[in-house]
Amino acid sequence: MSEQKEKINILVIDDERLIRLTLNAKLRQIGYTAVCVASIPEAVVLLNDGGYKQFKAIITDIMMGDMDGFVFRDILRGMDESIPIFFMTALDPEEGSGFLKRIMEDSYSFYLPKSIKPDLLLKRVQSIVASRRVDELIKAKDKEVMESLNLGAHLQRNMLPPRVRIDDTNFYTYWWKPKDIVSGDLLEVLPLPDKGGNLYVLGDIQGHGASASLSMMAVQSFLKQLPSSDHFAAATPASIANLMHRFYTSNLGTASYMTALICIHHPETKTVDWISCGAPDLYVVDPMNKDLGEINPEKKGTLPIGLVQDTVYSEDDVVRTRLSDTALCVAFTDGVFDVYKDQDGHEPMSDQLRINLQNELLQDARLNNTVVASPYKFQLACEAYGYPVFIDDVTELIFGSLTMENDVLLKSIPMDAAAIDKMAQEIEEWCFDQNWDPEVVTQVELVFEEKMMNLFDHGYDMRDRAGEQACFKLKKTKKHVELTVWDWGTQEPSIAVAAGDLEVELELKNRDFSGRGRGRLMVRKICSSIERNRFDTLNETVYRIRLKDKTENGQETEK
């Protein structure tokens, strides 16, 4: 079956009937369909409500009735910025009317004298229409490519582990930032059976773009199957590297390779075993012991995975690092080193400044139980020092043992309604164990449930919600109870920043709220202040509930 030829419609606007008939006949000779109208208002009616999409070009006179062609162009540009307009006029460009200059102010406007020979007119129109069709094809292809890349980015994001996880003995958090839309960086976190720790694999595929992202997803899929293998329980960093190397060379060839840092964290023995396959070494920060010394004194390290086919990774390549309870392990891809003042690569950030920023952020985060936000704050710190441009994919992983004061509750929670209910009950029990006032406990529960259910209902695309987790910290200060929530939901705040007294208006407006949450107005009433921060893709919300003292006569006063 032969392809149907595309129909090309040209809108002709001229108040002279003879001109309309002549153009109609000439355009038909080259296979175009002319739609002719006698006035601009008639043309506007045709173009409204998306009607402009049927036309490949427009031929119009300049001087017609109450509206000239330039006013019409302004109207049209509000609909389509690039549809070609041919101004066909009998005006003399030498007479000083300035119309030629006005035509040239728009990149897609063209001048045609009414005295032009028909053959030249048709060639001119054909040439511009053909150029327009090429532009449309390019835009359509660009759109198709962008849709494919966005789909790839969505798949990549869903293949990564949750961005934070906190259990009874250890935790991790990470920042994964593609240079463009998709990334060649991969990260997998797998719990180790019977060991109480985790296997961490951080990789960086050579190259950028679609090819690197496809390789990333292939390796990520392979890693997710490892727990089902018979020998996973006895895995070591070296044995995992050998498995990855065999998979890479067998399935992805030797045209590319990947650097990898493979770590196994043992919280019970306070150690981490790791192997660097061409990747930056593991980095350890300890706010209680700032002079850790060299953690890899023998400078162990080996070849990237997939680089040389007969490479074998041995246990002699593995480094064992002893950790204190407060130590933080930091793994990152080499994109962390590629931070510059501008897109042209002028003045890279010095290694010393980068190390100082990371140390300061991590030490403060460990002391204040805000580690979940520290990799995201790193980007803002770089910007504050005048280095806003990361010219490569970046992934930074932070993990360690969970160390917590008895009066602080720090947990991660899946984006699941049942999990939110269960966590609210756990919060209630923990607060009563801390001997908190029952009224304060109820207020904390209300704020927590409203925030989490609002996040569950509106913060995430339903496709993404299943793989997401949020994190919260609960503690009491002298004057307040502070509930801090970190999430990766929509940037739009779910609760207004302002907080204060709303007395009668509160009860009236709160009736409009239904569902699981008690309402945003109620939260504003309960909280003395609500603070919001945004760190790249991470939202941080701090709710402060003022504590009250009781006087001798039993009256309550705010502290």
Side-chain angles (χ1 to χ4, degrees), residues 220-238:
Q220 198 90 36
S221 298
F222 168 75
L223 291 171
K224 291 184 182 299
Q225 300 174 36
L226 289 180
S228 61
S229 66
D230 295 336
H231 305 293
F232 182 68
T236 68

Side-chain angles (χ1 to χ4, degrees), residues 166-366:
I166 302 170
D167 61 28
D168 294 336
T169 60
N170 60 84
F171 75 93
Y172 75 82
T173 182
Y174 68 91
W175 176 47
W176 181 79
K177 186 177 181 64
K179 173 183 177 291
D180 295 310
I181 299 174
V182 292
S183 173
D185 286 359
L186 66 92
L187 174 67
E188 191 55 75
V189 181
L190 300 173
L192 291 168
D194 305 324
K195 290 187 178 181
N198 288 327
L199 164 68
Y200 299 95
V201 179
L202 178 62
D204 183 357
I205 307 290
Q206 177 204 28
H208 300 95
S211 61
S213 67
L214 289 171
S215 296
M216 172 269 190
M217 288 189 281
V219 177
Q220 198 90 36
S221 298
F222 168 75
L223 291 171
K224 291 184 182 299
Q225 300 174 36
L226 289 180
S228 61
S229 66
D230 295 336
H231 305 293
F232 182 68
T236 68
S239 68
I240 296 296
N242 284 316
L243 289 172
M244 291 176 63
H245 183 69
R246 285 197 291 271
F247 171 81
Y248 205 98
T249 54
S250 299
N251 296 277
L252 301 176
T254 56
S256 69
Y257 60 86
M258 65 174 289
T259 61
L261 184 67
I262 303 169
C263 308
I264 294 182
H265 179 217
H266 307 278
E268 73 286 357
T269 60
K270 299 180 183 179
T271 59
V272 57
D273 295 333
W274 56 277
I275 184 171
S276 170
C277 305
D281 280 0
L282 186 70
Y283 186 63
V284 178
V285 176
D286 191 343
M288 301 305 178
N289 181 14
K290 297 184 180 180
D291 185 20
L292 291 174
E294 179 61 63
I295 68 168
N296 185 13
E298 299 179 40
K299 304 298 181 185
K300 292 184 178 182
T302 185
L303 294 173
I305 288 170
L307 182 63
V308 179
Q309 190 160 6
D310 60 357
T311 300
V312 176
Y313 302 94
S314 78
E315 299 304 323
D316 291 336
D317 299 319
V318 176
V319 180
R320 167 159 289 191
T321 300
R322 298 201 173 276
L323 306 170
S324 71
D325 288 335
T326 56
L328 294 173
C329 298
V330 186
F332 43 80
T333 56
D334 59 10
V336 169
F337 302 134
D338 296 323
V339 188
Y340 292 84
K341 279 190 174 293
D342 57 41
Q343 291 287 354
D344 295 328
H346 295 140
E347 194 176 332
M349 174 183 280
S350 69
D351 288 342
Q352 191 57 56
L353 176 57
R354 174 183 56 79
I355 291 169
N356 290 343
L357 287 177
Q358 286 181 313
N359 284 348
E360 184 177 342
L361 286 169
L362 291 168
Q363 289 170 6
D364 178 76
R366 187 54 139 168

Side-chain angles (χ1 to χ4, degrees), residues 369 404-410 430 434 473-475:
N369 299 305
M404 198 64 53
E405 300 90 340
N406 291 330
D407 60 349
V408 176
L409 181 64
L410 183 66
W430 183 86
Q434 300 291 315
K473 180 183 71 172
L474 184 61
K475 71 171 186 177

Side-chain angles (χ1 to χ4, degrees), residues 22 38 47 80 221 231 262 282 341 382 426 441 476 480 502:
T22 301
L47 298 171
D80 189 313
S221 298
H231 305 293
I262 303 169
L282 186 70
K341 279 190 174 293
C382 292
E426 187 174 332
V441 176
K476 183 192 286 187
H480 300 92
L502 291 171

Side-chain angles (χ1 to χ4, degrees), residues 38 57 61 68 86 115 123 134 149 238 243 257 273 288 336 344 349 353 439 444 453 459-460 521:
D61 197 353
D68 69 28
F86 295 92
S115 59
K123 285 182 180 179
V134 170
L149 287 173
L243 289 172
Y257 60 86
D273 295 333
M288 301 305 178
V336 169
D344 295 328
M349 174 183 280
L353 176 57
E439 182 180 350
V444 169
M453 289 308 302
Y460 294 97
L521 292 173

